[in-house]
Amino acid sequence: MTDMEEAGAVSGDGDGASFAGPDNGLADSSLTEEYKHPAEAAAGFAWPLRIMTAIAALFMFAITALTFVDVTGRYVFNSPVDGGVEFIEFGLGFLIFSALPLVIIKRAQITVELFDNFMSAGFKRVREVIVLIASAGMIGFITERMYTTGVEMHENDDISLHLDLPMAPILFILCGLAAISFVIQIYVAWRITFNDPRASEPGTGHTGKSA
Amino acid sequence: MTISLIGFAVLLAIAFFGFPLGYSMMLVGFVGVTIVRGLGPALETVSQQILDLALNANFVTLPLFILMGVFVFRAALAEDIYDAAQAWLGNKRGGVAMATVAACGGFAAISGSSIATAATMAKVAIPPMRRYNYDEGFAAGTVAAGGTMGILIPPSAALIIYGILTEESIGDLFIAGIVPGIITVLLYIAVIWIVARFRPQMAPRAERATWRVRWVTLSKVWAVVVLFLAIIGGITFGIFTPTEGGGIGAIGALLFAIARRRMNFKIFYYALAEAAETTAMIFTIAFGALVLNSFVNIAEMPGAIVAFIKDLEIAPIYVILVILLIYVLLGTVIEGLAMIFLTVPIFVPLVEAMGFDLIWFGIVLVMVVEISLITPPIGLNVFVIKSMLPDVPLAAIFRGIVPFFIADIARLMLVVFIPGLAIWLPSLLR
């Protein structure tokens, strides 16, 4: 993702939203616009991606609500949610791994492309394919790590600190989510390799607005 | 020592080749630990670091403040802040620009992102500056520089990330950013005053607002004040943790957005998705950064460098100055967030080994990242503003930034040589 593209994506904000009320000084259409592209880029994977997006949004909402209920419960009603912290912990893991496919489809991972201007188009293409396949390798590695650690935790009967929940299933869920990301990354690599024009725009997604 | 140097060479090579930064760091860290300790411990390290990060309630702080930022962006609180600043400062020489800086500072107090601050304030503050015939480059430069405060004034995504990577208290980091943040606002206003004094045509006065208007506009910023006090006040006085503050902030900003009729289900849903995506993006790099960090520590690199520096008999502060110079240079070509992830695993162990305060270094780091956001050729804030003002030449914007850049360097030196500016407030409240 280059900075110009990022800046360009930010500029997409603002105009033409009709659903957000009368006074539209600030960006309102940007979000929906931004999420149209990944759905297009995902092509055959549009529906799996939509589902993963929904799951990620759900986890995001769940940890926000849980944190809020936990803190208000503690200070206002003097009764925190039992084991709330632990649910929030697991929620964060699920959130990260379920939103990963979105990052992959949008090709929003942070990169440092210093020598871009000095590369020929042909070299860039070769590089892109190598980078995508190697990225799939890394996600595959993470998937394997979650699986193996899960198996170890299962053998040791590891349980969580507060709620005594078995840890292995948590790891297997993380592993499953990572595996979905792995498949999507392979799919992206495959499409770029065989030159699908819709998928060939790297970094169209993330605007960096939020961070 | 040699192995870690080879490791960095490889890391830079594959990162500059275009391999995502997080994967580059994870790969180099993993291979490095394998060479030093063997495959078993290396595999263990990767799992350990991922799980320590992904299943840690303290780090929920990051998605919560990101979500709050997305909601604040929708709630249109920026206009209120700007109107008040404009009513109070506008009639001064260069007053509209001063109001812009003050409003950037105010918005930064409810937003954790510099890019969001710059993008939001550009929409709100550039049109009035154009109306009063401000020099366009100077106007754009004011917003670009003012926007950088988003990551210095708490809440701050950059400080949260630094806290996650270094295991320093995110609450202390937030509090440490307050005084340098206020200094920044004052310095920038001073810069504008000087520019307006010597080049009055670049920054004319606006008409004076009546006292009634001043108080009315000021009373409208109550929502912002409530949000800031609830979160940063709560964290500062230990009423709740940064994570809880994030939860309150996200829900609070959501309620404001609903009250202002700027929220519907669709926006709500995509805001959640955007926050989730940003979180995933940041955490996948953080995984890599921490695996790399393990390697750096196992290879005993910081100790070796400190011994080397002792041999050379240079005062540690010179090493800090060299590090800062590297940052400023690196910042011209690497984007801010990437710079934090790439350098924290390398520099922080060194800084710690030399006996410097890591809260202080976090603030210093954020300040050099701020500088990187406005320096050519790749100043992210500048590009954000340029994309909104296509008719203003890039060179003019960078020219407009020069006075602020000088102020940034002065401010950096202030905090470097008077660490108390950053660490006094958190130490007071600890």
Side-chain angles (χ1 to χ4, degrees):
Chain A
M1 161 176 61
T2 67
D3 297 312
M4 272 316 265
E5 277 157 352
E6 263 203 20
V10 173
S11 74
D13 292 350
D15 350 46
S18 54
F19 50 81
D23 110 78
N24 255 321
L26 284 172
D28 283 314
S29 65
S30 58
L31 283 176
T32 36
E33 283 300 314
E34 240 168 65
Y35 281 83
K36 217 186 272 167
H37 175 81
E40 279 165 17
F45 275 51
W47 272 107
L49 188 73
R50 284 204 186 99
I51 294 166
M52 294 306 288
T53 308
I55 293 174
L58 191 69
F59 280 125
M60 184 69 240
F61 179 69
I63 57 175
T64 310
L66 208 54
T67 312
F68 186 73
V69 171
D70 194 40
V71 63
T72 45
R74 182 155 353 143
Y75 292 107
V76 182
F77 306 108
N78 214 4
S79 63
V81 181
D82 226 16
V85 172
E86 206 143 79
F87 281 120
I88 293 169
E89 262 174 28
F90 299 151
L92 178 63
F94 297 157
L95 165 71
I96 295 167
F97 280 83
S98 57
L100 198 52
L102 208 51
V103 179
I104 291 168
I105 285 284
K106 286 189 169 188
R107 319 236 349 240
Q109 294 101 332
I110 292 188
T111 53
V112 210
E113 287 161 5
L114 194 52
F115 305 114
D116 256 23
N117 298 333
F118 309 107
M119 291 174 180
S120 68
F123 181 79
K124 271 188 188 166
R125 232 184 91 68
V126 175
R127 176 191 70 169
E128 221 176 343
V129 171
I130 296 173
V131 163
L132 287 170
I133 293 171
S135 299
M138 291 309 290
I139 298 171
F141 178 50
I142 293 172
T143 312
E144 183 277 333
R145 284 287 80 218
M146 293 300 102
Y147 177 75
T148 310
T149 313
V151 171
E152 280 166 19
M153 284 179 164
H154 181 69
E155 283 162 2
N156 300 335
D157 287 326
D158 283 351
I159 51 170
S160 68
L161 223 52
H162 303 289
L163 295 175
D164 292 348
L165 293 172
M167 283 300 290
I170 308 284
L171 269 285
F172 291 136
I173 293 173
L174 293 182
C175 169
L177 293 170
I180 294 171
S181 297
F182 175 67
V183 173
I184 290 181
Q185 181 75 74
I186 293 272
Y187 175 70
V188 170
W190 177 72
R191 286 189 53 192
I192 301 264
T193 311
F194 297 101
N195 224 354
D196 187 324
R198 276 174 304 179
S200 61
E201 289 262 313
T204 11
H206 200 267
T207 60
K209 266 203 307 282
S210 333
Chain B
M1 180 72 189
T2 323
I3 168 110
S4 34
L5 289 181
I6 295 172
F8 290 135
V10 174
L11 172 64
L12 290 180
I14 58 178
F16 285 141
F17 180 73
F19 199 41
L21 193 57
Y23 301 150
S24 305
M25 291 192 288
M26 183 180 282
L27 187 63
V28 169
F30 170 69
V31 174
V33 177
T34 307
I35 292 171
V36 179
R37 285 280 161 86
L39 184 62
L43 289 170
E44 187 70 20
T45 302
V46 173
S47 302
Q48 196 63 45
Q49 297 294 6
I50 292 178
L51 293 180
D52 277 357
L53 272 177
L55 301 181
N56 189 326
N58 291 328
F59 301 155
V60 175
T61 318
L62 187 68
L64 293 177
F65 276 110
I66 289 173
L67 184 64
M68 174 183 166
V70 181
F71 286 151
V72 159
F73 193 63
R74 314 259 128 210
L77 297 170
E79 283 96 334
D80 292 348
I81 306 175
Y82 179 79
D83 289 346
Q86 160 75 3
W88 286 83
L89 294 168
N91 65 312
K92 310 271 184 299
R93 212 190 292 236
V96 190
M98 291 178 183
T100 304
V101 165
C104 284
F107 190 76
I110 49 171
S111 165
S113 155
S114 283
I115 293 165
T117 307
T120 309
M121 291 319 294
K123 282 214 169 89
V124 181
I126 299 251
M129 282 197 273
R130 286 192 145 170
R131 206 160 52 238
Y132 290 105
N133 282 322
Y134 270 58
D135 177 84
E136 288 191 319
F138 183 63
T142 305
V143 179
T148 65
M149 285 186 283
I151 51 169
L152 178 61
I153 296 177
S156 153
L159 285 175
I160 296 173
I161 292 168
Y162 178 84
I164 291 175
L165 294 178
T166 58
E167 292 175 21
E168 290 296 312
S169 151
I170 292 167
D172 283 0
L173 284 164
F174 276 7
I175 302 164
I178 294 175
V179 173
I182 294 170
I183 292 175
T184 309
V185 174
L186 296 178
L187 261 182
Y188 282 1
I189 286 180
V191 162
I192 293 164
W193 184 82
I194 293 169
V195 169
R197 180 106 187 72
F198 292 99
R199 295 261 187 286
Q201 74 284 5
M202 279 175 80
R205 293 167 194 265
E207 65 276 9
R208 190 187 179 87
T210 63
W211 282 101
R212 211 186 89 79
V213 171
R214 287 183 174 180
W215 289 112
V216 168
T217 52
L218 193 63
S219 71
K220 279 196 185 154
V221 298
W222 67 272
V224 177
V225 176
V226 165
L227 263 185
F228 177 76
L229 286 184
I231 300 157
I232 304 304
I235 295 169
T236 305
F237 295 106
I239 301 167
F240 41 72
T241 63
T243 305
E244 293 168 340
I248 291 169
I251 298 288
L254 173 65
L255 294 179
F256 279 122
I258 292 172
R260 292 168 159 251
R261 301 177 177 281
R262 298 187 66 98
M263 186 57 63
N264 59 25
F265 182 76
K266 206 167 178 180
I267 295 179
F268 175 67
Y269 175 75
Y270 285 116
L272 290 173
E274 181 181 310
E277 182 202 330
T278 308
T279 305
M281 178 197 77
I282 290 175
F283 270 88
T284 40
I285 316 178
F287 294 157
L290 285 187
V291 173
L292 181 68
N293 196 29
S294 307
F295 165 55
V296 169
N297 285 322
I298 286 171
E300 287 167 359
M301 159 130 176
I305 296 186
V306 169
F308 176 71
I309 290 165
K310 281 216 174 98
D311 278 352
L312 289 178
E313 293 181 353
I314 327 174
I317 190 72
Y318 288 115
V319 180
I320 295 285
L321 291 178
V322 171
I323 290 178
L324 295 182
L325 184 67
I326 294 173
Y327 269 120
V328 173
L329 295 178
L330 211 58
T332 60
V333 288
I334 298 182
E335 185 249 324
L337 214 51
M339 197 159 83
I340 295 178
F341 280 112
L342 188 63
T343 58
V344 161
I346 300 164
F347 285 149
V348 164
L350 177 63
V351 170
E352 192 177 21
M354 290 190 300
F356 288 100
D357 187 292
L358 287 189
I359 298 284
W360 165 79
F361 187 70
I363 300 300
V364 170
L365 171 65
V366 164
M367 289 166 69
V368 287
V369 169
E370 284 186 282
I371 294 176
S372 82
L373 291 172
I374 54 169
T375 42
I378 304 178
L380 205 48
N381 271 17
V382 177
F383 285 125
V384 169
I385 287 161
K386 165 75 185 161
S387 69
M388 296 169 140
L389 301 170
D391 51 322
V392 182
L394 208 54
I397 305 181
F398 278 121
R399 246 196 325 275
I401 279 171
V402 171
F404 298 102
F405 176 77
I406 295 167
D408 272 351
I409 299 290
R411 171 187 67 141
L412 181 63
M413 288 303 118
L414 265 179
V415 176
V416 167
F417 288 105
I418 313 173
L421 293 175
I423 52 185
W424 169 73
L425 200 55
S427 70
L428 201 68
L429 294 158
R430 213 170 270 158

